[in-house]
Amino acid sequence: MWLSDGRRSLLVEGERIARLEAGARGLRFEAITPGLQDAHAHPLYWGMALRGLDLAGLKEPERVAEKVAEAARSLPPGAWVEGAGFLFPKPPPPGLLDRAAPGHPVFLRSRDHHSAWINRKAAEVAGLGPGTQPPQGGGFLRDHQGVPYYLLERAQELLLPHLPPPSPQDLERGLLDFARRGYTAVHAMGYEPLEALDWALGMELPVRLWWALPRGAWRGRTPGWYGDLHLAGVKFFADGALGSRTAWMHHPYPEGSFGMPLDREEEILEEGEEALRAGFTLAVHAIGTRAVEAALSVFRRLAPLAREKGLILRLEHVQHVRDPALSLFPGLPLALSLQPLHLLEDAALVRAYGFPPGEAFRFRSLWATGLPLAFGSDAPVAKPDYGRNLLAATSHPLVLEESLSPGEVLWAHTEGASLAAGWRDYGRLEAGMRADLTLWEGGRPVGRVYRGRLELFS
C-alpha cells in the first residue's frame, strides 16, 4: 500500500514501513505522520464518561445541580446519577444535590477526578455518617449534620463499591473513541480496576496499549508484550491535583493549606525498587512543586537500577516546577509526560491561587532539559483532543516564552510518547519502523493505518 503527502511516498507492507521515496504515489493526503499516541489516559473511565453526565466547563454548583435534577427526572427511583467534569473555584455548599435529586444517589467527579460531590442519598447507600473517618490520603467536607458530602482524593474509594460497576463495554467504548480520533496508541495510567487489564487482554484492541498497574497490584503479573498490549509500569501518586487543592505545593493556597502528599517518598522508593527489579518501570504522578521535587529525589536514587534494567522512568503531569529544580532533570533515565490542554483551564486557577505563573506548565524549560516529552490528555479529565494540546502548548496563556512549536508538539505525541513507552521502533517515518500512521486533511485526522489496515473516518 502506497501513501503520499505530495512530497514523499511511503510503502507499507504488513505492519512496517518498507520504503520511502520522493514524489506523489498512491493515496494522497495533506499530511502523513507517525501514529498519534495519548501518553496519559484512563480509557475505561473515558468510556464510562461517554455514557454519563458531561459537566465539562461548568463552574457554578447551581448549574450542575440543575443538570442533576434534569437527569434524575428520567431515571427510575434509586438509580444512580453519575457525571464528571465540573471545576469550581471553591467547594460547593452542602444541600444542593439533596434538593436536586432526593430519591437518587448522586456521585459527581471534579474535572481532575481528585474530588467528588455526593448527596445525602449516596452517603446513606455507602454508609457514610458523622462518625465516618476518611482513609489515609483522603479527606471529607461535611454538611451541617456532619455527614460527608464532598470527598477528597482517596476518600472517593469509599463510594466505588456501591456505584454501578464498570464493564468491558465501557473499556471498548473508550478505546474505540481514541481510534476514531486518529490515535494508534494509548498509555493507560494505572487507575483502572484490576479486572480491566484482563478485559483488555481478552479483546481485539483498536489501539496499542501501554499499561500501568496501580501500586500494590503488580505482584503476580509478568511485564511484557501480550499481543498489542504492553504491560510495563507501576503507578504511584506523589500528590493530588490543582483544582481540588490537593497538589502539594511550596506556596500556600488562599486558605493557607499546601495541598497533600499521597504516596510518601520512602514508600515510592521501597516499592519502586522492588517493581524495577521485577522488570516494571515506574510512573509517578506529581503536579505540585513539592511533589515534583520529591519524585525527582526518588528517581535519582533509583536511576542506577533503571539503567541496569534498560528501563525509562516516567514523571506524570510535571505541572509546577521551581527554577532550582530544573537542574535536577538532565541526565536521569526519565521521560516527562504532560497534558498541555489542562493549562487552558488551570491558568485561571494559577492566577486565583496566587501561584507564580512562571512555575506552571514549563514546556520550553522542560524541553531544554534534554529529556523526552510525551503528551496526552488524561481523559476523562479532558477530552482526548490533539487540537487543544496544540493550542495550549504553542500559545502558553501564562508565559508565552514557555511555548513550543507545532512540530515539537507533534513530536511529543509520536516519537516522544514512543520513547516514554520504551518503544524504539515506533514514532518515526523511516524504513523498518512500525507503520502506525495518522492521516491528515485540513489540520485534523481523517484516517489512520493500524496493524497494516487503512481506516478512513466518515
Side-chain angles (χ1 to χ4, degrees):
M1 173 175 55
W2 283 95
L3 303 170
S4 172
D5 61 7
R7 297 176 293 107
R8 62 187 171 185
S9 296
L10 289 76
L11 175 61
V12 175
E13 292 182 345
E15 295 193 31
R16 301 278 174 176
I17 299 173
R19 191 162 83 244
L20 285 83
E21 62 181 44
R25 183 176 179 182
L27 291 174
R28 184 166 175 171
F29 298 89
E30 180 182 277
I32 301 171
T33 69
L36 290 178
Q37 298 183 37
D38 191 305
H40 185 117
H42 307 282
L44 172 64
Y45 291 108
W46 176 235
M48 295 174 67
L50 292 172
R51 62 172 171 82
L53 278 179
D54 183 1
L55 306 176
L58 297 184
K59 297 178 172 62
E60 299 175 352
E62 293 78 10
R63 179 68 185 117
V64 172
E66 289 172 6
K67 291 183 75 73
V68 167
E70 181 181 345
R73 284 194 289 271
S74 64
L75 294 172
W80 280 89
V81 178
E82 296 182 76
F86 67 81
L87 184 62
F88 301 147
K90 59 182 180 180
L96 271 180
L97 293 184
D98 299 331
R99 294 189 292 274
H104 297 79
V106 179
F107 181 79
L108 308 176
R109 289 187 186 268
S110 61
R111 179 174 69 87
D112 55 30
H113 279 227
H114 285 257
S115 57
W117 187 16
I118 65 173
N119 66 351
R120 180 67 71 88
K121 185 72 172 179
E124 177 185 307
V125 170
L128 305 185
T132 304
Q133 296 303 309
Q136 180 181 346
F140 292 145
L141 297 183
R142 301 176 186 268
D143 65 19
H144 301 305
Q145 283 75 46
V147 177
Y149 80 96
Y150 201 72
L151 316 180
L152 298 173
E153 297 297 341
R154 289 174 175 157
Q156 298 175 77
E157 296 173 3
L158 300 177
L159 264 291
L160 299 185
H162 307 280
L163 297 172
S167 70
Q169 291 73 33
D170 293 319
L171 177 59
E172 184 176 37
R173 183 186 304 110
L175 293 174
L176 285 171
D177 185 76
F178 279 101
R180 294 179 186 122
R181 294 171 182 266
Y183 290 90
T184 60
V186 174
H187 303 191
M189 272 298 150
Y191 201 58
E192 281 76 6
L194 297 182
E195 58 266 26
L197 172 59
D198 295 313
W199 297 340
L201 291 172
M203 66 177 62
E204 183 176 348
L205 296 173
V207 294
R208 300 190 199 278
L209 278 178
W210 186 96
W211 198 280
L213 289 165
R215 64 162 298 196
W218 54 273
R219 295 180 180 88
R221 296 281 190 171
T222 302
W225 280 95
Y226 299 83
D228 287 336
L229 187 149
H230 184 197
L231 179 58
V234 177
K235 177 74 175 296
F236 296 85
F237 283 85
D239 69 344
L242 194 69
S244 297
R245 302 190 186 205
T246 53
W248 194 25
M249 307 293 290
H250 285 89
H251 290 273
Y253 292 87
E255 72 278 9
S257 76
F258 291 87
M260 59 194 302
L262 296 183
D263 298 328
R264 294 189 299 273
E265 190 172 330
E266 290 302 318
E267 293 175 329
I268 300 174
L269 179 66
E270 181 179 352
E271 187 174 338
E273 180 178 353
E274 187 183 352
L276 284 170
R277 293 193 184 281
F280 288 94
T281 191
L282 313 184
V284 179
H285 165 121
I287 288 180
T289 54
R290 283 190 176 185
V292 168
E293 291 176 30
L296 288 172
S297 175
V298 171
F299 288 149
R300 283 197 302 274
R301 297 161 73 179
L302 291 178
L305 179 57
R307 292 191 184 97
E308 176 188 323
K309 293 290 187 178
L311 297 170
I312 186 164
L313 304 166
R314 296 180 57 133
L315 191 56
E316 304 295 324
H317 305 304
V318 209
Q319 286 183 199
H320 299 267
V321 182
R322 299 192 302 166
D323 283 341
L326 289 173
S327 64
L328 304 176
F329 288 88
L332 289 174
L334 179 64
L336 308 177
S337 171
L338 294 88
Q339 303 77 46
L341 73 179
H342 292 338
L343 176 56
L344 301 176
E345 297 281 352
D346 283 3
L349 292 177
V350 172
R351 296 187 186 102
Y353 295 161
F355 292 151
E359 294 180 355
F361 292 83
R362 305 189 69 168
F363 307 130
R364 176 57 60 194
S365 296
L366 292 174
W367 184 278
T369 66
L371 300 180
L373 269 59
F375 284 173
S377 66
D378 206 8
V381 175
K383 295 177 182 178
D385 186 339
Y386 175 82
R388 299 273 287 174
N389 266 353
L390 182 67
L391 172 64
T394 57
S395 303
H396 197 296
L398 291 173
V399 182
L400 191 59
E401 292 77 15
E402 287 289 349
S403 302
L404 298 176
S405 71
E408 289 166 336
V409 175
L410 178 64
W411 186 93
H413 269 285
T414 53
E415 187 171 359
S418 298
L419 293 173
W423 300 348
R424 297 293 176 177
D425 58 346
Y426 294 78
R428 299 196 305 277
L429 298 183
E430 297 176 3
M433 300 293 286
R434 289 275 185 176
D436 287 4
L437 308 172
T438 300
L439 312 172
W440 302 77
E441 292 287 348
R444 65 181 185 85
V446 295
R448 63 178 199 150
V449 176
Y450 177 69
R451 299 187 68 184
R453 297 193 297 268
L454 173 65
E455 302 172 23
L456 299 178
F457 311 143
S458 56

